[in-house]
């Protein structure tokens, strides 16, 4: 009997051990509860080329409703999203698998993203709303040194505005060349006095596709005074490109460009006093190319007559092409537009006078090119009212090779504001114009794509500005900059960005 009781006792212990082991094994086999999550979500410029120009990101998703503000100009029907999720999570939209940074969707209405792990789903609804409108805000005034004439360009590599100016001084010999930039909310000089001595009022700046600046000026220290000298900044020092005074003829007008074939400077000049041995005629358009070591001077634009007198010029290099506009000042003033590609000049518009106009105002021209290769130009003519020179913006559509007018003329008589104005096209393809109104107040307008006309003029500052050039430009992320010189000979800078 004792042996039976003992056997029963051992059997009970064995059964209990098996039960405990079985329960333990069963507990180990129970998987953790699935919890699929969307961790971050955004739209990145590099995934949405020519549509977005900066990143818009929700870095940490909270809840199941994701709202992102985008500029109203963005095409929402064809956007690529980038996202991160918890491990082992797949994502679909309307049953279609989604690949972060690759899959396109129409976000003109809210989009439901389904995050799935195993048999567990989580729904995230993405809604796009309009971002705050961009506004012009005064950000800085350069008071380190007084300036008279100047040029502004936005660095294509960094988005930083650069300023090339002539020192304002009663002592002509102190009117030297200086360059400054505005970065991280502060001004800084790029070197000290750059020229060896006095420079003239004709000056120009350009930055190559790596962001290195070139400046050109009328050099009074050259063997022949008022001939052009070009300098380049290599990141630490300025140096003369070629020689002081690259040729011996003096000049009327001047502008710098970048040769798309070698990323070297091209200089466009209207000649004044022709030096012995230099063959072009007075006022002819002289084109000089730099090959990295020497200048090839006084070349001509193919198809343009040597006898065609030239006023102001402006160029822009985009990709493998340089675009050039030139005012023609023989008799009735007209304009011509050219492209330079693979070493060949092509005429896009030849000696144009707008319908109804008696003349084009010989003061300034402007040109810009959008991401589709469409050319925008700005001129002033009296086609609307003879004798009153209004601003007119024209567009050359690359796909159709047809010119059209952008909106109505801008109703300002630029002859009463010293005829200075500037055109720039934002990365989203919207043209903007900066000009002096009839009181010489700095004024901006932009093209309203819905109304198909220019916005109401906005006076940046109800203070008369100096009768010098004014400039407008955009960084690659859509930030705009406008600059002018005030009556105290200070460079004033405005910034165009989303309102806070």
């Amino acid at each position: 009997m004792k042996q039976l009781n003992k056997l029963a006792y051992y059997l009970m212990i064995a059964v209990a051990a098996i039960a405990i082991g079985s329960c333990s094994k069963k507990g180990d086999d129970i998987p953790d509860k699935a919890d699929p999550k969307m961790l971050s979500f955004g739209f990145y410029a590099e995934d949405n080329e020519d549509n977005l120009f900066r990143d818009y990101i929700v870095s940490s998703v909270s809840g199941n409703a994701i709202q992102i503000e985008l500029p109203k100009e963005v095409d929402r029907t064809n956007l690529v999203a980038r996202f991160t999720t918890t491990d082992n999570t797949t994502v679909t939209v309307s049953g279609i698998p989604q690949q972060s940074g690759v899959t396109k969707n129409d976000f003109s209405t809210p989009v439901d993203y389904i995050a799935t792990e195993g048999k567990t789903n989580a729904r995230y609804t993405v809604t796009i709303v309009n971002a705050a409108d961009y506004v012009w805000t005064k950000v800085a005034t350069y008071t380190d040194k007084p300036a008279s004439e100047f040029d502004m360009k936005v660095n294509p590599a960094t988005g930083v505005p650069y300023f090339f100016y002539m020192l304002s001084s009663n002592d002509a010999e102190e009117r030297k060349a200086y360059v400054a930039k505005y970065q991280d909310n502060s001004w800084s000089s790029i070197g000290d006095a750059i020229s060896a001595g006095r420079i003239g009022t004709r000056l120009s700046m350009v930055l190559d596709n790596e962001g290195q600046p070139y400046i050109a000026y009328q050099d009074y220290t050259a063997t022949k005074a008022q001939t052009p000298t070009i300098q380049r900044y290599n990141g630490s020092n300025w140096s003369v490109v070629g020689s002081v005074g690259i040729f011996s003829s003096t000049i009327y007008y001047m502008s710098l460009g970048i040769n798309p074939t070698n990323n070297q400077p091209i200089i466009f000049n209207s000649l004044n006093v022709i030096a012995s041995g230099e063959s072009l005629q007075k006022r002819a358009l002289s084109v000089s190319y730099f090959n990295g070591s020497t200048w090839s001077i006084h070349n001509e634009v193919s198809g343009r007559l040597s006898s065609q007198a030239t006023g102001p010029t402006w160029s822009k290099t985009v990709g493998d092409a340089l675009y050039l506009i030139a005012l023609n000042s023989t008799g009735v003033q007209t304009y011509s537009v050219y492209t330079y590609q693979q070493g060949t000049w092509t005429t896009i518009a030849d000696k144009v006078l707008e319908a109804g106009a008696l003349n084009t105002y010989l003061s300034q021209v402007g040109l810009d090119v959008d991401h589709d290769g469409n050319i925008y130009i700005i001129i002033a003519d009296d086609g609307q009212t003879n004798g009153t020179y209004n601003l007119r913006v024209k567009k050359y559509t690359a796909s159709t090779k047809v010119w059209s007018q952008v909106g109505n003329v801008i109703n300002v008589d630029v002859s009463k504001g010293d005829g200075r104005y500037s055109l720039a096209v934002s990365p989203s393809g919207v043209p903007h114009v900066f000009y002096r109104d009839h009181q010489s107040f700095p004024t901006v307008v932009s093209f309203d794509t819905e109304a198909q006309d220019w916005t109401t003029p906005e006076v940046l500052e109800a203070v008369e500005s100096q009768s010098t050039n004014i400039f407008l430009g955009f960084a690659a992320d859509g930030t705009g900059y406008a600059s002018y010189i005030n009556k105290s000979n200070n460079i004033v800078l405005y910034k165009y960005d989303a309102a806070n």
Side-chain angles (χ1 to χ4, degrees):
M1 190 69 175
K2 290 181 178 179
Q3 288 180 342
L4 288 173
N5 289 338
K6 191 173 183 179
L7 179 61
Y9 172 75
Y10 285 127
L11 285 171
M12 289 173 62
I13 291 175
V15 170
I18 292 170
I20 291 171
S22 175
C23 290
S24 174
K25 185 175 182 181
K26 185 176 181 180
D28 290 344
D29 286 345
I30 296 176
D32 293 335
K33 184 179 179 180
D35 187 20
K37 289 184 177 180
M38 186 83 74
L39 301 178
S40 67
F41 191 95
F43 300 103
Y44 287 74
E46 65 178 303
D47 302 331
N48 296 274
E49 187 177 1
D50 295 338
N51 195 12
L52 294 182
F53 304 97
R54 60 178 69 178
D55 301 334
Y56 300 86
I57 306 165
V58 176
S59 57
S60 181
V61 173
S62 177
N64 294 85
I66 302 172
Q67 181 173 291
I68 295 184
E69 296 180 351
L70 295 182
K72 62 183 179 181
E73 296 85 5
V74 170
D75 178 7
R76 302 176 186 185
T77 65
N78 203 26
L79 284 170
V80 175
R82 194 187 299 188
F83 51 83
T84 60
T85 64
T86 51
D87 293 340
N88 304 315
T89 296
T90 59
V91 178
T92 58
V93 170
S94 300
I96 300 173
Q98 301 293 296
Q99 186 175 349
S100 175
V102 175
T103 310
K104 295 180 179 179
N105 285 293
D106 182 352
F107 288 88
S108 56
T109 57
V111 175
D112 288 334
Y113 278 73
I114 307 299
T116 302
E117 182 184 352
K119 295 182 178 180
T120 303
N121 297 323
R123 183 190 303 272
Y124 291 85
T125 301
V126 179
T127 303
I128 294 178
V129 296
N130 285 339
D133 288 339
Y134 276 29
V135 296
W136 286 103
T137 306
K138 187 177 181 179
V139 294
T141 301
Y142 184 63
T143 58
D144 289 2
K145 292 182 176 66
S148 51
E149 293 293 336
F150 85 117
D151 191 0
M152 182 196 82
K153 292 294 189 302
V154 179
N155 191 312
T158 64
V160 172
Y162 281 60
F163 305 84
F164 167 37
Y165 65 95
M166 180 178 72
L167 185 72
S168 178
S169 175
N170 292 328
D171 183 352
E173 296 306 315
E174 292 300 316
R175 297 172 189 167
K176 297 180 181 180
Y178 291 84
V179 174
K181 65 179 178 179
Y182 185 76
Q183 185 173 18
D184 298 329
N185 300 317
S186 65
W187 295 95
S188 59
S189 294
I190 303 177
D192 198 5
I194 300 166
S195 60
R198 177 187 175 188
I199 67 172
T201 57
R202 305 297 185 187
L203 46 81
S204 181
M205 176 173 59
V206 70
L207 292 96
D208 66 18
N209 57 26
E210 296 173 353
Q212 296 299 329
Y214 291 85
I215 61 172
Y217 51 88
Q218 290 171 297
D219 194 346
Y220 279 81
T221 71
T223 302
K224 179 65 175 177
Q226 301 187 64
T227 55
T229 292
I230 295 89
Q231 293 207 44
R232 175 184 185 269
Y233 188 70
N234 63 7
S236 57
N237 297 294
W238 289 96
S239 59
V240 172
V241 178
S243 59
V244 172
I246 65 168
F247 48 72
S248 298
S249 298
T250 61
I251 61 174
Y252 274 116
Y253 297 102
M254 173 171 60
S255 66
L256 270 175
I258 292 296
N259 191 331
T261 63
N262 60 6
N263 200 34
Q264 296 289 342
I266 297 178
I267 188 166
F268 303 96
N269 293 111
S270 172
L271 302 179
N272 186 7
V273 178
I274 308 299
S276 175
E278 296 185 1
S279 58
L280 290 184
Q281 299 182 37
K282 183 174 181 177
R283 293 294 183 101
L285 176 58
S286 165
V287 184
S288 300
Y289 307 91
F290 190 67
N291 64 9
S293 57
T294 59
W295 285 94
S296 170
I297 65 171
H298 296 330
N299 297 277
E300 298 181 71
V301 171
S302 303
R304 183 182 179 87
L305 296 175
S306 298
S307 59
Q308 179 66 67
T310 303
T313 59
W314 190 273
S315 72
K316 177 73 176 284
T317 296
V318 179
D320 65 349
L322 177 146
Y323 303 82
L324 173 70
I325 183 171
L327 275 181
N328 311 309
S329 57
T330 301
V332 174
Q333 291 154 189
T334 61
Y335 66 85
S336 297
V337 181
Y338 309 92
T339 61
Y340 180 71
Q341 197 168 16
Q342 297 179 344
T344 300
W345 286 102
T346 302
T347 301
I348 303 297
D350 189 28
K351 297 189 285 293
V352 176
L353 180 66
E354 293 299 323
L358 299 178
N359 226 332
T360 306
Y361 194 69
L362 185 66
S363 61
Q364 194 168 352
V365 288
L367 176 148
D368 207 350
V369 182
D370 68 16
H371 52 70
D372 292 323
N374 302 314
I375 307 170
Y376 292 79
I377 64 168
I378 185 168
I379 48 98
D381 65 70
D382 63 349
Q384 181 160 299
T385 303
N386 294 156
T388 299
Y389 291 91
N390 300 123
L391 291 174
R392 188 189 306 270
V393 177
K394 301 288 293 290
K395 177 183 178 182
Y396 178 78
T397 303
S399 60
T400 61
K401 299 183 178 181
V402 172
W403 285 97
S404 59
Q405 184 167 306
V406 179
N408 292 305
V409 297
I410 299 171
N411 286 307
V412 56
D413 188 350
V414 297
S415 65
K416 295 180 179 179
D418 199 37
R420 305 302 178 95
Y421 47 87
S422 183
L423 164 75
V425 178
S426 71
S428 59
V430 177
H432 299 250
V433 175
F434 183 32
Y435 62 92
R436 285 189 185 84
D437 68 8
H438 65 283
Q439 296 175 285
S440 290
F441 293 169
T443 305
V444 291
V445 293
S446 60
F447 189 70
D448 186 329
T449 55
E450 294 179 355
Q452 287 295 296
D453 207 353
W454 300 100
T455 57
T456 301
E458 177 184 354
V459 173
L460 297 183
E461 185 176 20
V463 176
E464 185 179 352
S465 59
Q466 288 279 34
S467 296
T468 59
N469 285 335
I470 59 177
F471 294 100
L472 180 65
F474 281 88
D477 68 355
T479 304
Y481 294 96
S483 60
Y484 58 92
I485 295 177
N486 63 19
K487 284 296 185 180
S488 299
N489 294 316
N490 302 129
I491 297 172
V492 180
L493 179 64
Y494 275 75
K495 183 178 181 180
Y496 187 64
D497 208 345
N500 294 326

